[in-house]
Amino acid sequence: MASGVKPRVKVPKTAAAGEAITIKTLISHKMESGQRKDKEGNVIPRSIINRFTCEFNGEMVIDVTMEPAISTNPYFQFEATVPEAGEFVFTWYDDDGSVYDEKKTIEIA
Amino acid sequence: MNTKALTAITAILVFPVAVMAGPDEENLVINGELDMTSVTKAPAHLENLDTIYSGWHFRTDETQALQIDDFDNPAMIFVDQAVDLFATVDGAAGESCASCHDGVESFKGLQASMPKVDAESGKLVVMEDLINRCRTDRMEADAWKWSGGEMQGMVALIGLQSRGMPMNVAIDGDAAPYWEQGKEMYYTRYGQLELSCANCHEDNWGNMIRADHLSQGMINGFPTYRLKQAKLISRHNRFRGCIRDTRAETFAEGSDEFRALELYVASRGNGLSVETPAVRQ
Amino acid sequence: MELSRRETLALGLGAAFLTIMPLRANAAAEDAIAAFTGGADVADGGVTLTAPEIAENGNTVPIEVSAPGAASILIVAAGNPEPGVATFNFGPLAAAQAASTRIRLAGTQDVIAVAKMADGSFAKASATVKVTIGGCGG
């Protein structure tokens, strides 16, 4: 599943120091649950993104353990505190060992 | 068990039916700024409908919410991928879409007039035809599969450029015979269940078919992200699904029959805003 | 509407059955919650779980969970073949102990959120989601 995976992240460009901001993330992934069968009746093996993290300047915002019940093209929305200017790092961990990441910088206005 | 409790039970039993009757009266506004025409007067050629409604009005609040913000709309992942594909060189000629076309914005307005008759060949063409013609003739690349992810992502990206513009497909002149063919199909009963498009989407829109709320079957939001398949669904794929559900042998995606039906169904929505890419159940 | 005593009783029983049934989490769901809490008592309240009453398609059901002061929140779908959905662990820069996501539900069932509070106590909330089976393309 390492091909065709594309993250989308929405972070404001600026914030006031200490402000709470809303972050939205979306990534394209089949999230094959391991529950489905193919036409021959064989179980299609599970292949999902099993963990998502968001860090800001090295400090954790949210760390999510994901199970097969998370929908195709996983979506998360959450809130982060922005103490200073810096960089958000978003990381998705695939069952197959692939790691996808995305970075967004934010300025203090 | 007192009367109050009985009333409560009755209310619980009756309520879901009441909320699902007819289209809702919300306004469709995208990103808080783009006002869409999702309810309007039916075009003059439509004899049996006075008002036309976007399929958005027949969905639950949760499904509707997915379409009113471009970040919440999962279809946009595939539109993003198409933005990359637009600039990707493919095929023997060493060209990308961007080699000829000055930005995808140059397609503004095209979706509102599709399908249309190609001046050169005199044949009815849909967006997928235009894209594959570029790929095979100009790029010398392989044609994309009709309902594949690349094709529908590109159809959605080009359609998005016209979002908010009123659908206005031509039904006269060269298009007239194709439109007549499509109209004929719309009113033809297919399959073992002997159902025409009109039986559901003209005679029974607003009613329930099992647990599904029947819309008017408008295609102004296609390709649309269907929650069921969790990907972009082509117009022809949806036609195929409907006809299959009548227990009929269906026409193929990309067939001349479906091109004609697409023109006719698009013309029923003349006046509604292009919503591409919409989100449906 | 005139109802006999017997009919009234039957209605009441039916309503009670409908109310109680979905609240019975299956064994796997109970195990998943026990693994998270270590068997500790779980109080009601302090957690808000927002989910649609009726989902048009079980493939993509939006949910939102909030538990002010929680260290982590476990989401369980009691009626799925595998009950686990997600665990949100909040770091020091989480501005709210809240998150939204989209989940799969195999059918009408209860979704349960269990929050582990900063003091080590647990709280939960649940919501019943009716998953409709479409008429078309189903």
Side-chain angles (χ1 to χ4, degrees):
Chain A
M1 195 59 213
S3 66
V5 174
K6 193 176 171 83
R8 258 168 82 83
V9 174
K10 187 178 181 181
V11 177
K13 288 189 173 62
T14 61
E19 190 185 341
I21 59 161
T22 299
I23 293 175
K24 295 181 180 187
T25 71
L26 193 60
I27 191 166
S28 58
H29 198 285
K30 273 194 177 2
M31 295 293 284
E32 189 61 59
S33 67
Q35 298 288 336
R36 300 198 309 157
K37 287 178 178 168
D38 64 17
K39 280 176 185 145
E40 282 78 45
N42 304 311
V43 172
I44 305 171
R46 168 186 143 151
S47 175
I48 68 167
I49 292 174
N50 56 50
R51 185 179 174 214
F52 163 72
T53 62
C54 168
E55 289 178 31
F56 180 74
N57 289 351
E59 265 206 283
M60 193 59 78
V61 177
I62 196 167
D63 181 344
V64 187
T65 307
M66 298 159 66
E67 306 288 346
I70 295 290
S71 299
T72 306
N73 307 325
Y75 169 90
F76 291 111
Q77 181 183 326
F78 51 92
E79 287 182 39
T81 306
V82 184
E84 72 254 340
E87 188 179 58
F88 280 101
V89 178
F90 304 90
T91 316
W92 291 261
Y93 299 86
D94 195 309
D95 273 352
D96 71 7
S98 308
V99 175
Y100 321 106
D101 59 18
E102 181 79 6
K103 296 179 173 72
K104 291 277 177 187
T105 55
I106 189 164
E107 304 290 333
I108 295 299
Chain B
M1 178 67 49
N2 55 27
T3 320
K4 209 185 211 173
L6 261 183
T7 313
I9 292 172
T10 314
I12 288 164
L13 294 176
V14 172
F15 189 63
V17 179
V19 293
M20 294 301 277
D24 75 3
E25 289 170 5
E26 306 279 319
N27 290 320
L28 175 52
V29 181
I30 309 270
N31 299 332
E33 57 183 26
L34 179 59
D35 274 313
M36 307 286 270
T37 303
S38 57
V39 182
T40 194
K41 197 168 161 287
H45 71 80
L46 261 186
E47 293 151 13
N48 305 322
L49 293 177
D50 296 325
T51 307
I52 52 174
Y53 296 89
S54 155
W56 184 82
H57 288 283
F58 298 85
R59 305 279 54 97
T60 61
D61 291 350
E62 290 80 13
T63 308
Q64 288 184 336
L66 295 175
Q67 197 187 320
I68 63 172
D69 179 297
D70 278 351
F71 198 89
D72 291 340
N73 185 340
M76 291 301 174
I77 307 178
F78 305 100
V79 169
D80 268 5
Q81 289 173 352
V83 169
D84 293 345
L85 281 174
F86 195 83
T88 304
V89 171
D90 194 10
E95 312 241 40
S96 72
C97 305
S99 309
C100 294
H101 299 284
D102 187 20
V104 73
E105 302 80 15
S106 61
F107 290 111
K108 185 177 168 74
L110 180 61
Q111 180 61 63
S113 65
M114 292 298 287
K116 65 180 174 188
V117 173
D118 177 54
E120 240 171 79
S121 66
K123 290 189 72 172
L124 183 68
V125 291
V126 300
M127 195 70 82
E128 286 87 344
D129 293 318
L130 301 184
I131 293 169
N132 263 346
R133 187 197 295 167
C134 272
R135 286 190 56 80
T136 56
D137 295 2
R138 295 192 191 171
M139 296 167 69
E140 297 172 38
D142 291 337
W144 275 333
K145 197 164 161 263
W146 199 273
S147 286
E150 290 143 325
M151 175 61 94
Q152 292 309 316
M154 191 60 74
V155 174
L157 172 64
I158 294 172
L160 174 64
Q161 308 310 313
S162 307
R163 190 168 63 174
M165 297 173 72
M167 281 300 297
N168 184 25
V169 295
I171 65 172
D172 52 1
D174 294 346
Y178 297 107
W179 185 80
E180 290 291 347
Q181 183 192 355
K183 184 178 180 183
E184 174 81 25
M185 288 177 71
Y186 194 87
Y187 289 99
T188 299
R189 288 173 180 267
Y190 290 101
Q192 292 175 324
L193 297 182
E194 298 188 359
L195 288 170
S196 71
C197 308
N199 289 145
C200 286
H201 297 291
E202 189 168 278
D203 304 340
N204 280 297
W205 62 271
N207 291 334
M208 305 298 287
I209 183 164
R210 292 176 68 202
D212 228 345
H213 196 196
L214 277 172
S215 72
Q216 290 182 339
M218 294 298 175
I219 56 172
N220 56 309
F222 276 78
T224 193
Y225 186 92
R226 273 191 106 210
L227 301 181
K228 178 182 150 57
Q229 288 99 341
K231 63 175 187 173
L232 282 171
I233 297 301
S234 69
R235 298 169 183 88
H236 289 196
N237 183 269
R238 192 53 265 184
F239 290 161
R240 201 169 62 94
C242 269
I243 296 187
R244 179 203 58 210
D245 288 350
T246 71
R247 302 191 183 172
E249 284 287 336
T250 86
F251 302 99
E253 293 170 4
S255 62
D256 284 343
E257 287 87 352
F258 274 170
R259 285 189 180 86
L261 184 62
E262 181 176 333
L263 172 63
Y264 178 69
V265 176
S267 80
R268 292 175 69 92
N270 271 356
L272 292 175
S273 297
V274 173
E275 279 179 37
T276 310
V279 182
R280 300 288 183 260
Q281 80 290 15
Chain C
M1 188 165 74
E2 284 290 314
L3 286 174
S4 73
R5 198 181 127 88
R6 183 169 297 177
E7 282 163 345
T8 308
L9 191 66
L11 254 181
L13 279 176
F17 184 71
L18 280 173
T19 315
I20 293 162
M21 270 310 282
L23 295 179
R24 279 185 44 216
N26 67 16
E30 281 165 11
D31 289 350
I33 292 170
F36 182 69
T37 61
D41 284 345
V42 182
D44 282 315
V47 185
T48 310
L49 175 63
T50 311
E53 240 177 278
I54 300 173
E56 279 186 296
N57 196 294
N59 256 347
T60 314
V61 182
I63 62 157
E64 187 182 343
V65 68
S66 168
S72 55
I73 305 176
L74 169 77
I75 309 286
V76 168
N80 273 1
E82 284 184 53
V85 175
T87 309
F88 297 100
N89 300 294
F90 300 101
L93 288 185
Q97 286 72 44
S100 302
T101 188
R102 297 168 185 164
I103 69 171
R104 292 169 171 156
L105 296 177
T108 296
Q109 60 180 283
D110 273 9
V111 179
I112 304 162
V114 183
K116 180 179 186 180
M117 296 305 180
D119 64 3
S121 68
F122 293 90
K124 75 172 162 65
S126 71
T128 306
V129 180
K130 285 189 190 126
V131 176
T132 61
I133 298 164
C136 299

